[in-house]
Amino acid sequence: SHHIGFSTEDCLTAYVMGDAHFGMLAHQDETQVDDFDSEIAYRVMQGAVDYLVHSSPPTKQALFVNVGDAVHTDNSSNRTRRSGAELDVDSRYYRIIKVFVWAMIHGIQRMLEKHEELTVINAAGNHDPDTTHWIQLALSMYFDNEPRVDIRVDPASYHFYRFEKVLLGVTHGDGAKMDDLPQIMAHLQAEDWGQTLHRHWLTGHIHHKVLKEYNGCKVESFNTLAPSDAWHAKSGYFAAREMYSLIFNGDHGVVARNICPVGLSHS
């Protein structure tokens, strides 16, 4: 008789939060989808984290990934830095960042109830390239005396996490094209690439669920928890709203995934 040769305790749970867009304002009348503001963003994210932590196995190690664009605006000008696009923003910048940081703290605390060790990676998006730096700093200072949490403080565009024979990459997705990411991982992480078998990029930006398989590497983009704002609705962009956790076995790669559709987290 064949038995499964691992226990889920020895796996890694990776919680992946797609572009959360805290501070984005949307009116249902205008977009024909859901209302959205900072309070709703907080409730939706908390509900999704609660659901995913509850449904994930009690692995010793966990990873919490924010793929970028967690905050909708980078400052109080309410425009994106690169294109200068005008943003629909809910209230004041200070209030948005306060709500977001507390949402992250509560999410981290919830994950610590289930997992012994947690690493937190916040990638910078095109909406929050500067904001992400202080998100990293604020969280690292808050959890400074908590040895079970490693908040990555790193200004680079590409983040990496090694778990046994699994190598994970995290980037927002507004820089290099999906097709180029495997080569970038092999270049920047040559030693870890050589020692691993399951290599997997976690990205966002396009707001849609896409999984591409390349030689020796998968590249996955994740959905957002936010609905379309007026610009996206007018342009005809409507994405499914979901948050995921992926369970990685150290030898075999992804063995399970849990999905929280936004309706489950916001009921």
Side-chain angles (χ1 to χ4, degrees), residues 39-246:
E39 267 66 40
I40 296 170
Y42 187 97
R43 289 202 305 274
V44 165
M45 179 187 153
Q46 284 313 114
V49 168
D50 286 352
Y51 176 85
L52 290 172
V53 170
H54 178 73
S55 52
S56 294
T59 61
K60 282 179 191 147
Q61 280 175 279
L63 176 66
F64 184 15
V65 174
N66 151 25
V67 301
D69 283 5
V71 178
H72 191 52
T73 182
D74 211 26
N75 52 47
S76 54
S77 73
N78 297 344
R79 292 182 176 276
T80 55
R81 186 166 74 188
R82 203 174 303 161
S83 62
E86 203 178 320
L87 299 167
D88 295 335
V89 172
D90 161 43
S91 86
R92 311 295 296 158
Y93 180 71
Y94 171 73
R95 191 163 164 274
I96 295 165
I97 64 179
K98 197 172 156 187
V99 171
F100 177 70
V101 165
W102 279 106
M104 287 297 288
I105 288 168
H106 287 156
I108 290 165
Q109 287 170 335
R110 183 53 49 91
M111 290 169 194
L112 284 174
E113 291 170 15
K114 190 152 224 180
H115 309 283
E116 281 178 35
E117 291 170 24
L118 176 66
T119 300
V120 183
I121 295 176
N122 289 281
N126 51 303
H127 281 251
D128 55 7
D130 295 334
T131 297
T132 306
H133 299 317
W134 64 248
I135 290 169
Q136 293 179 355
L137 281 170
L139 293 174
S140 74
M141 288 170 181
Y142 187 89
F143 289 102
D144 191 37
N145 294 322
E146 176 48 89
R148 296 166 56 207
V149 181
D150 173 21
I151 309 281
R152 293 277 183 90
V153 179
D154 182 356
S157 295
Y158 304 108
H159 308 265
F160 299 98
Y161 182 92
R162 165 95 184 260
F163 176 69
E164 295 171 22
K165 290 181 185 163
V166 175
L167 179 59
L168 301 177
V170 177
T171 193
H172 181 57
D174 61 323
K177 300 272 182 285
M178 260 187 162
D179 295 351
D180 296 328
L181 290 176
Q183 191 62 45
I184 289 170
M185 180 185 275
H187 175 63
L188 293 177
Q189 300 287 301
E191 201 171 318
D192 280 339
W193 178 282
Q195 292 169 7
T196 52
L197 294 171
H198 309 282
R199 312 174 191 101
H200 202 119
W201 277 99
L202 311 172
T203 74
H205 188 56
I206 57 176
H207 291 203
H208 288 280
K209 182 78 189 57
V210 175
L211 177 59
K212 285 185 168 185
E213 202 172 329
Y214 300 89
N215 287 333
C217 188
K218 291 175 181 166
V219 180
E220 185 165 2
S221 79
F222 290 83
N223 295 96
T224 167
L225 287 171
S228 296
D229 58 10
W231 182 86
H232 280 90
K234 185 183 175 185
S235 308
Y237 297 125
F238 301 97
R241 299 171 61 194
E242 294 166 342
M243 183 170 163
Y244 288 73
S245 67
L246 278 60

Side-chain angles (χ1 to χ4, degrees), residues 7-46:
S7 88
T8 47
E9 239 179 64
D10 301 329
C11 292
L12 166 78
T13 304
Y15 298 95
V16 186
M17 182 172 72
D19 304 35
H21 286 282
F22 268 68
M24 188 261 278
L25 186 68
H27 287 296
Q28 192 171 0
D29 296 349
E30 195 175 14
T31 62
Q32 293 169 291
V33 284
D34 291 338
D35 287 324
F36 202 65
D37 60 27
S38 297
E39 267 66 40
I40 296 170
Y42 187 97
R43 289 202 305 274
V44 165
M45 179 187 153
Q46 284 313 114

